[in-house]
Amino acid sequence: DAGVIQSPRHEVTEMGQEVTLRCKPISGHDYLFWYRQTMMRGLELLIYFNNNVPIDDSGMPEDRFSAKMPNASFSTLKIQPSEPRDSAVYFCASRRGQGGQPQHFGDGTRLSIL
Amino acid sequence: DQQVKQNSPSLSVQEGRISILNCDYTNSMFDYFLWYKKYPAEGPTFLISISSIKDKNEDGRFTVFLNKSAKHLSLHIVPSQPGDSAVYFCAASEIYSNYKLTFGKGTLLTVNP
């Protein structure tokens, strides 16, 4: 089975540019999560969706960040405008159902804002 | 404030010996705990989990112990192998937040041949 697929794997862009990160969850998984990993804060949850509907976006740091899930097989995380402090590794994860089910992670997008 | 803490940033053990990774939590509502392993340039991979109704769960070389009164869990790897060298994350969740995960900052395990 294909795992969670993220693209691009690496992104380098200049401050002020729009950045779009993409995620394809595992087929059949109805929960999708976006995380950010930094040295200072570790792995922190930004937002999650259930059946394509955003449930909790309390971790989104600022209005510059937005996330969408137009269908069950695709989600985007957008930063506009980007700033150097947004540099981090962004992970997407998906999960089937509630309860004792683990989340499965993609390999992440390493984002560098110059 | 960190609700899940892994106080040891790193741990080094000899091949064949036991590795013990520790994790403490503060939120008494957490009722499901997981360990993830992460290699460089890859995403975290699920390793093992435990529900709060248990105090031990075993899967091959990996055993997780939960002490609810102390709000502490540990991961034991026996015997340790060089391929186990990775960062290990402890995560906790609760039913009332849809089991969203709160992660510790990780422990880098190095298993020396």
Side-chain angles (χ1 to χ4, degrees):
Chain A
D1 286 343
V4 175
I5 299 172
Q6 291 187 246
S7 65
R9 289 298 313 275
H10 302 274
E11 174 89 13
V12 180
T13 191
E14 291 189 347
M15 182 175 65
Q17 296 297 308
E18 179 179 287
V19 172
T20 300
L21 310 182
R22 297 172 175 80
C23 175
K24 177 178 169 56
I26 294 172
S27 177
H29 282 196
D30 52 349
Y31 282 84
L32 183 138
F33 304 82
W34 282 101
Y35 291 88
R36 179 171 69 175
Q37 185 184 28
T38 60
M39 289 293 293
M40 287 294 293
R41 300 176 67 90
L43 259 171
E44 51 180 346
L45 177 66
L46 300 177
I47 185 172
Y48 77 94
F49 296 81
N50 177 218
N51 291 322
N52 314 338
V53 177
I55 302 300
D56 183 351
D57 66 354
S58 60
M60 296 286 261
E62 299 172 37
D63 290 346
R64 299 183 296 106
F65 286 70
S66 62
K68 292 182 179 179
M69 192 164 185
N71 58 62
S73 58
F74 183 66
S75 177
T76 59
L77 178 68
K78 192 169 291 189
I79 309 172
Q80 166 64 15
S82 57
E83 295 182 5
R85 60 194 167 119
D86 302 331
S87 298
V89 182
Y90 291 80
F91 289 102
C92 175
S94 69
R95 185 187 79 200
R96 184 194 306 271
Q98 290 195 33
Q101 299 297 323
Q103 294 177 22
H104 298 268
F105 283 76
D107 284 337
T109 295
R110 181 172 294 276
L111 178 63
S112 297
I113 309 296
L114 306 177
Chain B
D1 62 328
Q2 267 189 285
Q3 295 191 65
V4 178
K5 293 182 183 179
Q6 294 178 254
N7 290 320
S8 298
S10 62
L11 174 68
S12 182
V13 300
Q14 285 300 118
E15 180 178 6
R17 306 294 291 268
I18 185 171
S19 295
I20 300 176
L21 298 104
N22 293 303
C23 177
D24 297 295
Y25 61 96
T26 57
N27 186 346
S28 58
M29 297 300 291
F30 286 146
D31 58 3
Y32 182 59
F33 305 88
L34 307 88
W35 284 94
Y36 281 82
K37 179 168 80 170
K38 185 183 181 302
Y39 294 119
E42 294 184 10
T45 302
F46 170 69
L47 198 55
I48 192 169
S49 63
I50 188 166
S51 162
S52 61
I53 62 172
K54 293 181 155 187
D55 54 18
K56 177 183 173 181
N57 189 26
E58 204 168 344
D59 184 0
R61 296 185 297 114
F62 302 91
T63 303
V64 56
F65 295 92
L66 175 63
N67 182 333
K68 287 189 293 291
S69 60
K71 294 191 180 69
H72 177 83
L73 64 156
S74 60
L75 175 68
H76 294 210
I77 306 174
V78 183
S80 301
Q81 299 173 353
D84 296 329
S85 298
V87 176
Y88 288 78
F89 291 97
C90 169
S93 64
E94 55 162 312
I95 185 171
Y96 298 109
S97 66
N98 263 327
Y99 289 104
K100 67 179 185 180
L101 298 180
T102 301
F103 282 87
K105 288 195 172 180
T107 297
L108 173 63
L109 173 66
T110 302
V111 180
N112 301 301

